Amino acid sequence: MCFLPTAKTILKEQAVADKQCWHIGNFAPISVEQANFFTEKLLYWNEHQNKREMPWKGISDPYKIWLSEIILQQTRVAQGLPYYQKFATAFPDIHALANASQDEVMTLWQGLGYYSRARNLHATAQYISRELGGVFPNTYVQIRQLTGVGDYTAAAIASFAYNLPHAVLDGNVFRVLARYFGIEQATDETATRKHFATLAQQLLPPTKAGKYNQAIMDFGAEVCTPALPDCANCVLQTQCTAFAAQKVNELPIKSKKIKIKHRYFVFLYLHNEAQFFIEKRTEADIWQNLYQLPLIEVKNAKMFENINPLLQQNWGVETTNLQLSKVFVQQLTHQKIHAVFAEAFMKKELNTLTIPATWLLIFKKNYINFAFPKLINLFLSNIALTST
Ligand code: SF4
C-alpha cells in the first residue's frame, strides 16, 4: 500500500520513495511494483515484439542519430523517413552537410515544414565541422547546447549514441505514462511536465537507457496510440490504471487549446513565356529562407476581392489581363494561411513595373532548384512551367 503524501514528503521535482511508493509532485502515489512492472514489460516488448524497423535504429553514429531526430521533430516517421534517406545519402557525414550551400539544404528539406529545423541543422553541422573538428559532442549538456536541440532530442541522442541515462519525454511518452499510471493532471502545464520528467527519469534503467527510450517511443507509436490503442494485446494491460478505470480515451489531459492565427496572402505570378519573378523570405517569420512569389499580405479574405489597386500601387502591375486563382489554404501549427495567386503576363517593356531589388527573375524550367513553401509548390505544379 502506498501512503498518501503530505507536504513534508513532497520534495520539489524529486521523486521521494518509501518502500512501496514514489511520491512525485501532485501525482497520486506511484506503486514501485507497478513501476517495475512497467519497465520490465516495456523492455521485454522491445526485445521480442517490437517490429518497428527504421534505418537509424541500432546504430551508434551520433551524426545519423542527430539527423534522424531533427527530421522527426514534429513529423511522423512515414513522412520523415524519405527525407532522412535523402539527407543521409547526399550528406554522409557532418562535413558534407556543413559544406553544402543553404539553398541545397533548403531544397532537400522542401515539403517537410518547420524550416527553422533545416536552418539549425545546417548551422549546427557547420559549428561541429569547423569548431569541433567534426567530433560530435558526447555529453548530455554539450548536446543540449547545440542549436535546434531541446531536452527531448538531447536525451534521445545521448541515450542512443552513448547509452547515457537521460529519459526522453515527448507526446508519446506523456500519453503512455498518463494512461498506465492514471495521471489526470494536464500534460501541457509547466509544473506537471516537470513531474512527468521526474517520473520518466525514475523509470529509466540506467544501464539500458538507449533500449528503454527506444522502447517507450515505439510503444507509444505502435501500441498505446492516441486513437484506438491496442489494449487487448498490450503487455502492460494487467497493471494499466486507465484500462482498469476505463479512462483510456480520456487520458492524457490537456488544458489549453492552440490559438490559430489566420493570415491572408496575395502572391503575384508575374511571368513571360520563359521566366517569372521570385524573392527570398528573409524576415524572422514562417518559411524563413525559402523562396516565394512576390507577396502582399492583406488583413482579411474580403480584400481578395479588390486586389488590383494594391498590385498597381505596389508594383505598377498592369491589371487588365490579371487572372486570380482560387483560394489555397495551408494549415501550420499556429497559423492558417489563405492565399490567392494573381497571374499577370509581362509585357516586353519592364520599365513600366516597379521591380524591387530583392526580386529574382528565374527560368520556369529551373524552379525546382528553389525551395518554396508547399502552398506555392502546389500552385506552380498546377500551371504549366514547361517553357524554356
Ligand atoms: S492497456 Fe491500453 S492504455 Fe494501457 S498502456 Fe496498454 S495500450 Fe496503453
Side-chain angles (χ1 to χ4, degrees), residues 179 219 223-224 229-231 234 236-237 240 243 248:
R179 286 175 176 168
F219 188 81
V223 182
C224 196
D230 189 9
C231 299
C234 173
L236 301 176
Q237 189 216 74
C240 176
F243 184 79
V248 173

Side-chain angles (χ1 to χ4, degrees), residues 65-66 69-70 73 140 143 148-158 168:
I65 291 168
W66 165 71
E69 290 300 331
I70 301 295
Q73 287 170 353
Y140 175 85
I143 296 168
V149 171
D151 293 343
Y152 167 84
T153 305
I157 298 168
V168 290

Side-chain angles (χ1 to χ4, degrees), residues 308-367:
N308 288 8
L310 281 175
L311 296 174
Q312 269 174 335
Q313 280 158 23
N314 276 275
W315 301 314
V317 175
E318 171 56 62
T319 51
T320 45
N321 291 322
L322 204 69
Q323 302 236 33
L324 207 59
S325 75
K326 63 171 187 171
V327 179
F328 288 67
V329 175
Q330 185 172 346
Q331 178 74 61
L332 308 172
T333 311
H334 295 99
Q335 299 188 25
K336 192 167 191 175
I337 308 300
H338 309 253
V340 290
F341 292 84
E343 179 179 350
F345 195 79
M346 271 187 281
K347 294 186 175 161
K348 284 198 179 112
E349 311 81 50
L350 283 180
N351 55 7
T352 58
L353 292 166
T354 311
I355 297 174
T358 50
W359 287 14
L360 298 170
L361 189 59
I362 66 161
F363 283 98
K364 292 178 179 179
K365 64 180 181 182
N366 290 339
Y367 92 96

